Each structure stands twice: as C-alpha cells, then as structure tokens.
Amino acid sequence: ILWRDEEIGRIEAGEDPLRPQVSVVADEHLSGPDKQQVQDRLSAWLKEHIAERLKPLVEIAAAEDISGLARGIAFRLTERYGILRREEAATEIKSLDQAARAQLRKYGVRFGAFNIYFPLLLKPASADAALTLFLLRDGASHGLDVAQPPEAPKAGLTSVVVDKAVPEAFYRTAGFHVCGPRAVRVDILERLADRIRPLIAWRPSADGAAPRPPGATGKGGFTVTPDMMSILGCAAEDLGLVLKALG
C-alpha cells in the first residue's frame, strides 16, 4: 500500500478470502499508539476497498436470507472469487428449487450454461481486486510467483490465447473460461452458446417457408459463422478448437 509514493503497508492473506490482513511498514520512530492508528486506518481502507470492488461477493457472504443448498453455492462462489464452473456444482444446482435460485439471483448471481457467476465482477476493477486476493491466498499453491504474477487479460478483450504455464484458476478468477487454446470471458461464452443453441434446434418447416438462419443445418448441427468469430475475436480454426473443448 502506497501513500505519497512511499510504501506504508503490505497486504497479507487471511483465512477469509475477502478479509486479508494489513501489516504496517514503519521504523522505530513511529510510536506504538501512532502505529496502531495507522494500522486501524489501513485496515478500514482495505475493507472499504474490497467492499466497493467486490460488492456482490461481500453482500452474499454476509446475507442472512440465504439458507440450505443456496448457502452452499454462495460459500463456494466466495471461495472461488465469484466464478464457479457449473459442472463442479452440478448436483447441488440440479437440486435447487426456484425459491433457492431466486435467493441467489437477488444478489446478482447468474446461472449460465458453463459457469455460475456475478456479471458485475467481470468489470476490470473488480477482476483486478479478485486476482489480487487470489494471488495472496492461492498463488503459491498454484505455482505462481506472487511478486511477479502473470499478466492478466487486458480490459475489453473477449478471449485470449492461453499461456500453458499459467494455471486455469488464474484465468477463471480474472473472469475467463479456458477452452482449449483460448480463454473466453465467461459472459461472452454464454453469448456464444445463446447464438448456437437455436441453430442446433432449427428445422425446416413442412412448407419450406421458414428462412434458414445463417449457420443452421436443419439436422441438429451448425456451421461456424463470421458473427461467432467476431464475438470471440478469433479465427475460424481457433473457434473450432474452442467448440471442441466445450464438447
């Protein structure tokens, strides 16, 4: 933590992923009471900073109107910094009734085809805060150098080429889903699925009057369209590999 371009504190991991600790950087000239005041001020600032950047996570972690299986999903979302692979919680999600789903949606949770996530946390400032907390608590266990972490995907990109030396958890915390050679932003992945789903379902009408949508085959399959490549910002070959990775 810098103040007037000087390092005055360091953030350290805590047991709660949303509550890291602060240690004051000072020499012997700072008295005990003054040092405690600095400690209290930095701790308060950090709490406010996280509450602002990761508001949906902080709110759902403290929610008292979520119970049962929904509480379990909320806990796992907090542990994963707001993005959970749907397949990792498939059994619990299948058992959620509409009331439980409504409890989670109230706090901004979206149930996607591939991930359960908070759309608000995909904003650059939120993703940056989540990555910081991930690196502090989990970076070393994933083989990362916390002092020199990998470069996060740049703001505005919908997909990036995967660096095989970077753990999948890093991309996920940044808001990206690894699909073969590329990592796709989780909301963009859902948009791609939304484009493909009706193409697979389309069948020609008996009188042949219904126009064939671009990419539809009418036989339960589809072909790649320029629109799909545009969404991901990649070439047809890469898109094909992404789709194969998704099954």
Side-chain angles (χ1 to χ4, degrees):
I1 301 176
L2 303 180
W3 182 67
R4 295 184 178 178
D5 296 327
E6 294 291 338
E7 183 179 339
I8 60 169
R10 297 189 68 81
I11 306 172
E12 301 168 353
E15 291 185 11
D16 186 325
L18 298 180
R19 293 183 180 179
Q21 305 300 310
V22 175
S23 62
V24 175
V25 177
D27 58 26
E28 67 277 3
H29 295 293
L30 190 65
S31 67
D34 287 341
K35 186 174 182 179
Q36 186 59 51
Q37 284 192 338
V38 174
Q39 175 77 51
D40 293 343
R41 179 69 187 92
L42 292 182
S43 295
W45 171 82
L46 183 59
K47 183 178 180 180
E48 292 170 5
H49 181 77
I50 292 173
E52 177 185 350
R53 297 289 180 92
L54 302 175
K55 183 179 180 181
L57 275 186
V58 173
E59 289 182 342
I60 205 169
E64 297 181 355
D65 57 346
I66 298 179
S67 58
L69 287 174
R71 167 52 60 193
I73 295 292
F75 175 78
R76 294 181 69 177
L77 279 167
T78 303
E79 286 286 304
R80 300 297 176 85
Y81 307 97
I83 301 176
L84 178 65
R85 288 180 73 103
R86 188 174 182 121
E87 62 190 35
E88 292 182 17
T91 302
E92 297 97 316
I93 293 169
K94 189 176 181 180
S95 301
L96 285 177
D97 57 24
Q98 289 304 312
R101 288 172 182 261
Q103 287 179 339
L104 293 169
R105 288 194 179 103
K106 173 184 173 183
Y107 287 91
V109 175
R110 174 168 180 196
F111 292 86
F114 301 101
N115 296 282
I116 313 302
Y117 65 101
F118 294 91
L120 282 177
L121 296 185
L122 299 178
K123 294 181 178 180
S126 297
D128 181 63
L131 274 176
T132 298
L133 298 183
F134 164 78
L135 287 166
L136 283 172
R137 194 185 69 153
D138 304 314
S141 64
H142 283 89
L144 295 174
D145 181 353
V146 179
Q148 294 182 314
E151 184 178 355
K154 288 182 171 59
L157 292 179
T158 57
S159 75
V160 296
V161 175
V162 169
D163 182 345
K164 294 182 179 180
V166 176
E168 187 267 351
F170 180 87
Y171 286 109
R172 178 161 302 281
T173 305
F176 287 71
H177 185 113
V178 174
C179 313
R182 298 190 76 84
V184 184
R185 210 171 70 202
V186 294
D187 59 330
I188 297 299
L189 193 60
E190 297 300 332
R191 192 186 303 176
L192 178 66
D194 289 342
R195 298 288 176 90
I196 292 172
R197 205 172 291 115
L199 300 183
I200 294 175
W202 186 83
R203 296 293 186 276
S205 57
D207 58 8
R212 182 189 301 271
T217 65
K219 300 177 181 179
F222 70 96
T223 58
V224 168
T225 65
D227 182 51
M228 296 176 195
M229 291 184 281
S230 177
I231 290 175
L232 265 63
C234 67
E237 182 179 356
D238 275 357
L239 178 55
L241 294 173
V242 165
L243 294 171
K244 287 179 180 178
L246 293 171

